[in-house]
Amino acid sequence: MRLNWPMILRAGHRLTMKEPGHLRDLAHQTIELAPEETKSAPAALYPPDALEKVVGLSPWRSWPVETALINGEAITHAATKAHVVKDVSIFGPMVYKHATKYDAGFGAERIWRQISGPARIINDAVLVSCFAGSRFFGPFLKDSLPLELLPDEGAHMIGLRTKTYGHETGYRTLFGLPAPPLVDHAHVRHLTFHDDVGQNSGKAARYQTLRDRLRLRLKVPSHQPPKGIYLKRGKTGESRLLTNEAVIEDHLTKLGFDIVEPATLSADEIARRTLDAPIVVSVEGSHMSHVVYSMAASGTLLVLQPPDRFAMAFKEFTDQIGIRFAFFVGDAAHGGFAIDPSAFSRFVERVMP
């Protein structure tokens, strides 16, 4: 067991400071890697009565953001920046310096932690972990992995502890991104970390790099794409139970869709079965990340939205690739939500390629 001295020292610094600030405020150098830009995208496709059914948002979302995405309004996307900070301490999921802490790993901040050995001394390192990606599978694929494409070749990349994802190793193989060394306890003399939340053109280019790497790894110069994919959420993540899923699956199967359940397949199998799919239908959630690099760039992602947990997060991504985004809002049902089969059938016909 090791005592979290950086946490104790931070508490002492905070006694003399009103606001701890952010780690980026302590950077001695900041480099802009991709500029801020304002751009619009196509509006989402949805039935006329869809928004009337929405009674609540995902806790991570807000209506002003969702409305802009739904309508295809011009959105200002933040720049991507690299910040270099001198003399920081890493303990568990946290990076500490003076009164600041930067939470980029998975797990709670603790005064005691099961860590063996003294702190490592690292001269230069690039941190490629982020808060969301260390906790949720979707952001891991859409945020953490693109982050690993930012450092220059030969840079010493390090990662903080991440939640265990069953498909991580498989996707790292597909993208040619070996896991960075895990650091639990260290003093870093020069640490580089990034602000990379903006969906700017630089980030879009890294998404395309990952799409290209996946196709190169699969070695499928010519193949017959599926007619469509129904991506099953299963029992993973937060509960979003589609109570009449069997009816929807049956309808889509008759249209020639392949039913793909990621929880039962390897990353390689998922990628091969969904490669260049022109349309993917799925209940909203992180599991949709399984297809964002494999489905057709000109395809359509049709999201089945629970009325009490509406979220447009994936449109932030699909807008950068050129994938059309459509959604269909369900009706509240005991234990979850249901999709009206007749209305859904008409809408699928509208958005099918």
Side-chain angles (χ1 to χ4, degrees):
M1 296 289 284
R2 287 276 171 178
L3 181 63
N4 189 347
W5 275 110
M7 179 182 174
I8 295 172
L9 292 173
R10 174 178 179 266
H13 280 291
R14 290 197 64 183
L15 292 175
T16 61
M17 295 182 66
K18 292 182 179 179
E19 295 291 339
H22 191 280
L23 188 62
R24 70 172 71 90
D25 301 329
L26 303 180
H28 78 275
Q29 184 180 17
T30 293
I31 305 165
E32 185 175 271
L33 304 178
E36 174 186 287
E37 59 187 304
T38 300
K39 52 186 177 180
S40 57
L45 304 173
Y46 56 95
D49 64 342
L51 296 179
E52 298 171 8
K53 296 183 177 183
V54 178
V55 297
L57 295 180
S58 161
W60 306 98
R61 310 296 298 178
S62 69
W63 265 120
V65 173
E66 307 302 64
T67 299
L69 290 166
I70 290 169
N71 296 332
E73 297 172 11
I75 295 174
T76 298
H77 301 277
T80 296
K81 297 180 180 180
H83 305 285
V84 185
V85 185
K86 292 181 179 179
D87 296 315
V88 302
S89 296
I90 294 174
F91 194 92
M94 302 289 181
V95 180
Y96 298 92
K97 181 176 175 67
H98 300 330
T100 69
K101 68 177 179 181
Y102 180 53
D103 184 358
F106 175 67
E109 183 181 32
R110 296 174 184 163
I111 190 66
W112 292 96
R113 186 171 286 273
Q114 190 68 44
I115 293 176
S116 60
R120 294 171 53 189
I121 304 298
I122 302 174
N123 285 324
D124 294 279
V126 182
L127 180 64
V128 290
S129 297
C130 65
F131 177 88
S134 69
R135 288 162 170 77
F136 306 105
F137 176 70
F140 170 75
L141 284 184
K142 296 190 285 100
D143 297 318
S144 293
L145 293 186
L147 196 61
E148 295 180 24
L149 296 177
L150 282 174
D152 294 332
E153 186 175 351
H156 178 47
M157 292 190 291
I158 62 172
L160 303 187
R161 192 168 299 280
T162 295
K163 187 177 180 180
T164 300
Y165 304 122
H167 290 98
E168 177 178 351
T169 300
Y171 278 113
R172 286 192 173 281
T173 299
L174 287 171
F175 297 133
L177 290 173
L182 173 67
V183 174
D184 258 340
H185 189 203
H187 177 83
V188 185
R189 294 195 173 104
H190 294 87
L191 180 74
T192 300
F193 72 99
H194 299 92
D195 278 329
D196 191 36
V197 298
Q199 298 290 340
N200 54 58
S201 295
K203 195 166 188 180
R206 283 178 278 136
Y207 293 150
Q208 188 58 52
T209 295
L210 293 177
R211 287 175 61 85
D212 293 343
R213 287 189 179 189
L214 181 144
R215 282 157 177 78
L216 183 63
R217 177 73 184 188
L218 294 180
K219 297 178 180 177
V220 284
S222 61
H223 72 107
Q224 182 62 43
K227 188 168 183 180
I229 295 293
Y230 178 69
L231 193 72
K232 288 178 67 74
R233 179 171 173 79
K235 297 180 179 179
T236 59
E238 294 283 344
S239 178
R240 296 175 181 83
L241 179 63
L242 178 56
T243 58
N244 63 336
E245 185 174 50
V247 174
I248 300 304
E249 284 187 23
D250 182 63
H251 174 72
L252 293 174
T253 299
K254 289 175 180 176
L255 291 176
F257 278 56
D258 184 17
I259 310 300
V260 175
E261 186 171 4
T264 66
L265 302 170
S266 69
D268 188 88
E269 290 170 327
I270 297 165
R272 290 182 186 279
R273 286 178 59 177
T274 62
L275 189 64
D276 294 332
I279 180 169
V280 175
V281 179
S282 185
V283 172
E284 198 281 328
S286 276
H287 65 290
M288 294 192 301
S289 294
H290 282 291
V291 298
V292 292
Y293 295 117
S294 58
M295 69 178 292
S298 58
T300 299
L301 180 63
L302 170 50
V303 180
L304 306 181
Q305 300 270 10
D308 60 346
R309 199 182 172 91
F310 184 86
M312 294 288 291
F314 273 80
K315 192 173 188 291
E316 295 177 350
F317 177 93
T318 58
D319 283 348
Q320 311 314 314
I321 297 297
I323 295 170
R324 293 197 309 170
F325 188 93
F327 64 85
F328 189 99
V329 181
D331 301 293
H334 180 69
F337 73 107
I339 297 293
D340 181 312
S342 298
F344 176 70
S345 177
R346 291 191 298 271
F347 187 64
V348 169
E349 288 182 10
R350 174 185 163 191
V351 301
M352 282 273 289

